[in-house]
Amino acid sequence: MPTRRSAAAVLAVGVCSTGAAVAAVLLPAALGSAVNGVVAGATVPWAALWLCAALTAAEVLLDATAAVVGGTTTAGFAARMRTRALDQVLRAEPRHAQAVPAGDLTTRLTANAPDAAAAPVTAAGAVAGVLLPLGGLTGLFLVDVWTALALLAGFPAVLVLLRTFTRRTADASAGYQAEQSVLAARLTEALDGAATIRAAGTGAREYARILEPLAALGTHGRRTWAVYGSASARSAVLLPLLTVLVVGVAGLRLSAGAIDIGGLVAASRYAMLAVGIGSLTGALGSLQRSRTAARRLAPLLALPAVPHRSLDLPPDGRGTLELRGVDVVRDGAYVLRDVGFTVPGGTSVAVVGRSGSGKSVLAAVAGRLTDPDAGTVVLDGVPLDGVEPVRLRHEVSYAFARPALAGATVEEAIAFGVPRPSPGAVRAAARAAAADFVELLPHGFHTPTAGAPLSGGEYQRLGLARAFAHRGRLMILDDATSGLDTVTERRVRRELDGLAGTTTRLIVAHKLSAAAGADQVVWLEGGTVRGVGRHDDLWADPAYRSVFHAPAHQDAAGTGAEEAPRPPGGKERV
């Protein structure tokens, strides 16, 4: 939202632009008076000459001030607009924010935000720009009515030119920005899946798919320049003709004795100002781009923040988690239906089930990364939708199968979150996650994450370290050990078992070992709870055993195979 300071800056741009326009309108009359004084030859018209110099200096200085203040104000608007849009994205429920692809989101925040932010300053300048042709026309009427009428005869053609330019610019801008977003979205997808593309040998196909929008982008770009070129060409012909017409009529009026030589000079200057309405094409084009960009930013700015009721979690709570009649619907189909169970504080629960049974969605609901469409999730007796989101993040930590590592270095990636842990706590968390490999990196914990030679399992261990570093009363691991070898997984599981009594652990897993080591198991099938109990008790059911005996989960010994490490750099989607 505009601040008082920025509103004052826009007002200053408008005042300076208006002042420059007023000076420009007064200058022809001063020039005409000076010329008449010189022609008269009696004395040097110093007063008129000084007035001309003062008006010229005022116009230049005010225009320069408007340009400087306008540029800095637009930059400030763009920064605040980007910040506000990004803040709305981060405050919104992830599934709503992820409705816009990452590449398209980047384009809206980087390319569209400055265009939209330019609107207030452009509008302030455009209002002043209208004063120039109006002032020129008024000046012509004051000098000579017939000269002004000659100009008015050509005005309809100018107005048609402006209307056509505005409409075509709007269409071209909308098409260009849309294709730009498609290109950015496809490029981002390809970068995220670069390893898969390389392994599949589909590089050439992806190259063609990514660059496919370039043809339409080029069409819209050429169309935009064609619109500008056409408008410029017509202006270059029409406006000088109007000027020549006005000056010719003024010359005839001079020869008839209706105006003096000073009036002729003033009329020629006023004609140039009056036909300057064609210069509004630039401002109109900018306003149309701003309007189109603002429409693209509007969905981001309208994203609703996650609601809450500012309830407090009990300070002595141990993390008792309850799901009561939870339903989650996506695209008209139930992902979770009437899910209900209780996890006693400080215990562990493994969520198992076949692929597509709703395990990751349940993990997202349990920590309020998404809200259920029906039912309630309660932590230590307090509904999650009542707890202030930032406070909730202090109490719930997550680890994902494909963690996104934010931060310039490995240490910053582990410390990422609120509150920020100390360097000692970061190193302790890395040890708990079996991330000993960090010490072997070129610069240890200060190694840049962008250049760190990390495998999929090592990425997972850094994600686990981040969860340990921000451990609260509830820790949720969404398939976060799928890329770990058996020995490493056992080390991590021992650390998790050491949290018994202080931290509740909800573990989404495919591995038999994870289910066997949990205090209880929640067995999902088709989005509903098929069974809740200890692993040993559920094992008597052949259908439960089949969850782990499927080829995707069975190794040669039949005890639950390791999944192949997933490629790093993916997003934590729910």
Side-chain angles (χ1 to χ4, degrees), residues 185-567:
R186 292 185 180 182
L187 178 59
T188 303
E189 291 171 359
L191 291 175
D192 282 344
T196 301
I197 293 171
R198 189 180 300 113
T202 57
R205 186 190 309 167
E206 284 300 304
Y207 181 84
R209 187 181 74 90
I210 293 168
L211 297 185
E212 181 185 4
L214 281 180
L217 194 68
T219 299
H220 290 300
R222 288 189 294 272
R223 182 182 176 189
T224 299
W225 285 113
V227 171
Y228 274 97
S230 175
S232 298
R234 294 178 184 180
S235 298
V237 173
L238 178 60
L239 301 185
L241 286 178
L242 286 177
T243 304
V244 170
L245 175 63
V246 171
V247 173
V249 172
L252 292 176
R253 298 293 286 167
L254 174 66
S255 64
I259 58 175
D260 53 25
I261 188 63
L264 176 63
V265 172
S268 63
R269 294 284 298 179
Y270 280 132
M272 294 177 63
L273 293 178
V275 299
I277 193 171
S279 64
L280 288 174
T281 54
L284 291 175
S286 178
L287 287 174
Q288 285 298 335
R289 288 195 303 274
S290 296
R291 183 181 178 186
T292 302
R295 283 199 297 265
R296 290 180 51 74
L297 283 175
L300 301 183
L301 298 175
L303 285 172
V306 175
H308 64 90
R309 301 190 297 277
S310 299
L311 301 179
D312 291 326
L313 292 168
D316 57 347
R318 298 177 57 192
T320 299
L321 178 67
E322 300 176 72
L323 277 72
R324 304 170 180 169
V326 167
D327 291 347
V328 175
V329 179
R330 296 288 186 269
D331 299 325
Y334 280 96
V335 180
L336 296 176
R337 186 162 191 171
D338 195 27
V339 172
F341 59 87
T342 299
V343 186
T347 66
S348 62
V349 59
V351 181
V352 303
R354 300 181 186 278
S355 179
S357 59
K359 300 185 299 296
S360 291
V361 175
L362 188 148
V365 168
R368 210 192 177 198
L369 289 185
T370 189
D371 282 331
D373 294 285
T376 307
V377 183
V378 178
L379 183 62
D380 284 331
V382 180
L384 291 191
D385 61 2
V387 183
E388 197 276 325
V390 174
R391 176 59 183 162
L392 185 62
R393 292 306 125 213
H394 284 70
E395 299 294 343
V396 181
S397 62
Y398 267 94
F400 299 93
R402 301 174 62 192
L405 300 181
T409 65
V410 170
E411 180 175 346
E412 291 180 5
I414 296 174
F416 185 77
V418 290
R420 183 181 178 88
S422 66
V426 168
R427 282 154 180 76
R431 288 192 297 272
D436 310 297
F437 65 88
V438 174
E439 299 288 356
L440 303 178
L441 293 175
H443 304 286
F445 282 87
H446 300 291
T447 301
T449 53
L454 301 177
S455 67
E458 288 169 340
Y459 264 85
Q460 281 195 346
R461 279 184 272 174
L462 292 182
L464 283 165
R466 183 172 61 193
F468 277 112
H470 297 89
R471 177 174 61 87
R473 66 184 72 193
L474 174 62
M475 181 183 289
I476 299 174
L477 278 60
D478 184 3
D479 206 16
T481 61
S482 60
L484 306 186
D485 60 81
T486 302
V487 174
T488 303
E489 184 198 3
R490 286 175 179 170
R491 286 183 56 189
V492 172
R493 192 164 64 245
R494 282 197 301 268
E495 293 292 337
L496 291 171
D497 291 342
L499 303 178
T502 60
T503 299
T504 303
R505 289 137 289 148
L506 187 149
I507 304 168
V508 173
H510 296 98
K511 294 182 180 180
L512 183 62
S513 57
D519 295 316
Q520 67 172 319
V521 174
V522 172
W523 172 21
L524 290 180
E525 187 170 288
T528 62
V529 176
R530 174 78 179 265
V532 177
R534 292 190 56 80
H535 169 74
D536 292 342
D537 298 330
L538 294 173
W539 190 255
D541 190 332
Y544 177 76
R545 294 199 300 271
S546 70
V547 172
F548 302 97
H549 289 169
H553 308 299
Q554 187 179 35
D555 61 11
T559 57
E562 300 288 346
E563 290 186 358
R566 304 190 184 193

Side-chain angles (χ1 to χ4, degrees), residues 33 63 78-79 96 119 130 136 138 159-160 198 251 348 350 426 434 445 449 499 515 560 565:
S33 177
D63 275 336
H96 294 154
V130 173
T138 302
L159 295 177
V160 170
R198 189 180 300 113
S348 62
V426 168
F445 282 87
T449 53
L499 303 178

